[in-house]
Amino acid sequence: MSVILGIESSCDETSAAVVRDGRVVLGHVVASQHELHAEYGGVVPEIASRAHLERLLPVLRQAVGEAGVGFEDLDAVAVGNRPGLIGSLLVGVSAAQALAWSLGVPLIGIDHVQAHLYAGHLVDGEEPAAEVMAERTLGLVVSGGHTSLYDVGGPLDAEVIGRTIDDAIGEAYDKAAVILGLGFPGGPAVERCAAGGDADRYALPVSMLGRESLDFSFSGLKTALLYLVRGRPKTVAGKPVFERSSQDLGEQERADLAASFQRAAVHAVTKKIERALDRSAAGYGRLVAGGGVTANRYLRGELASVAERRDLELMIPKMIYCVDNAAMIAGLAHHRFVAGDVDGLDLAAMSTPSGAGKRKKA
Ligand code: KG4
Ligand code: ZN
């Protein structure tokens, strides 16, 4: 039995949550900063850390209040301490250190990417929860910073078997939105625009990186989309000059391009999942997915078809636990808490991933 407070501040969402026994979300608040970064077309690190500072205390109070518990009821304080923007991480880590010290409870630092893999386990209230990860589980994280496949042995044991060699899929969505003249954040904007489009109209490249690879690459897709929208650039005085701009696109043309992009991006993921399944001698029984891009309905549908075709149990987070959130941090921390594996008050914020970033030896 545990009641754990989680804090998440790795990028542009300030979030706090209270989770019981690693599964049941009692209180959960996310304050998004999208409006602050929209005019820059991407996250500005200095603005993000300042906004975390302003928002974290009200968000914490609200999450604990919603949970109907007091600070004295908390068994531990967990915080996403890596990877992410260092200034943003520091705000969450400092708050967690202060709280853990003042309450006299353990502090637990959680790898944000591992937490994305765990988010599918979270439930609200007393609804039934699936069993915590089975032995043979294939993991997928698709976010703004990661596109990786994992061999998952348990909540705290995930080894990378494939990863992107350039952009992450969420980053590709964000760049596609800029190329198509859509808003920020790009993923939801591209998805909305693609809803009215014909995905068959443009054949965009799906990069397989050779016969054996489980890695991903999205930079060719991004460039192909750019050239379709703006024409091939000519070099004038050492600088690329394009024939057209995104403003020249007709509404239907833009929707068709968004739909064709989305299909190529998602197929790059599902094809590698199928390859990982084909290559696995023992066979996977479960697919767990997480990260911001799992909020995409087209991807969710395609993952559900793969799971059905290959007879896999699919665990995918509820929509609210796909993008960055503190519930997944508090949930995963339970498994370290019950194992007595906690951190000291000198826990550091780190921009690099931990175990979830290690590649499995061939
Ligand atoms: O997991 P996340 O919130 O942050 C990181 O850890 O990176 O993921 C954010 C990414 C962004 O690139 C965003 O554009 C993408 O997830 N995203 C989506 C959708 N919602 C968020 N991409 C495609 N379709 C969506 N509906
Ligand atoms: Zn994330």
Side-chain angles (χ1 to χ4, degrees), residues 23 120-121 123 128-132 286 313 315:
R23 315 297 291 279
H121 292 87
V123 296
E131 259 177 63
V132 169
R286 187 182 260 193
E313 181 193 352
M315 286 191 86

Side-chain angles (χ1 to χ4, degrees), residues 20-265:
R20 198 181 65 218
D21 297 334
R23 315 297 291 279
V24 183
V25 182
L26 303 176
H28 177 225
V29 178
V30 181
S32 151
Q33 305 174 4
H34 293 161
E35 79 288 357
L36 298 179
H37 303 287
E39 70 173 288
Y40 306 98
V43 177
V44 183
E46 289 78 6
I47 294 178
S49 10
R50 187 178 317 186
H52 285 306
L53 264 180
E54 288 166 3
R55 294 167 188 211
L56 187 54
L57 288 181
V59 163
L60 268 169
R61 283 196 198 97
Q62 197 183 332
V64 173
E66 223 177 65
V69 298
F71 279 94
E72 67 285 358
D73 298 320
L74 300 173
D75 295 312
V77 177
V79 60
N81 72 318
R82 65 192 309 176
L85 301 170
I86 195 73
S88 290
L89 288 167
L90 272 171
V91 177
V93 169
S94 310
Q97 285 166 327
L99 266 172
W101 176 76
S102 63
L103 298 171
V105 296
L107 175 65
I108 302 174
I110 291 291
D111 183 302
H112 172 98
V113 185
Q114 263 184 346
H116 271 309
L117 265 184
Y118 183 77
H121 292 87
L122 299 168
V123 296
D124 299 305
E126 297 307 329
E127 56 189 298
E131 259 177 63
V132 169
M133 293 173 193
E135 251 322 277
R136 294 293 298 174
T137 297
L138 180 64
L140 169 76
V141 173
V142 278
S143 72
H146 293 81
T147 305
S148 304
L149 283 170
Y150 301 87
D151 187 53
V152 182
L156 297 163
D157 169 20
E159 284 183 288
V160 175
I161 55 172
R163 60 155 59 114
T164 182
I165 60 165
D166 40 54
D167 293 345
I169 183 172
E171 211 176 339
Y173 262 93
D174 293 335
K175 288 177 178 166
V178 173
I179 293 169
L180 292 168
L182 301 167
F184 171 84
V190 171
E191 180 174 13
R192 272 195 303 277
C193 180
D198 171 9
D200 288 328
R201 177 149 170 210
Y202 301 99
L204 284 162
V206 176
S207 177
M208 294 304 284
L209 297 173
R211 280 172 175 281
E212 294 295 320
S213 176
L214 292 178
D215 289 339
F216 302 91
S217 165
F218 291 97
S219 69
L221 171 59
K222 178 188 66 187
T223 309
L225 180 70
L226 177 70
Y227 288 178
L228 269 178
V229 172
R230 303 194 58 188
R232 284 198 169 259
K234 293 194 181 66
T235 307
V236 178
K239 291 201 176 120
V241 176
F242 289 94
E243 295 161 20
R244 302 184 290 275
S245 94
S246 63
Q247 285 162 358
D248 301 325
L249 291 174
E251 212 173 297
Q252 190 58 48
E253 202 180 5
R254 183 178 280 116
D256 294 345
L257 284 160
S260 305
F261 164 84
Q262 175 157 269
R263 187 162 74 182

Side-chain angles (χ1 to χ4, degrees), residues 8 10-11 13 83 112-113 116 141-146 290-292 322-325 328:
E8 155 62 34
S10 66
C11 189
E13 258 94 27
H112 172 98
V113 185
H116 271 309
V141 173
V142 278
S143 72
H146 293 81
C322 291
V323 292
D324 291 348
N325 68 86
M328 64 184 191

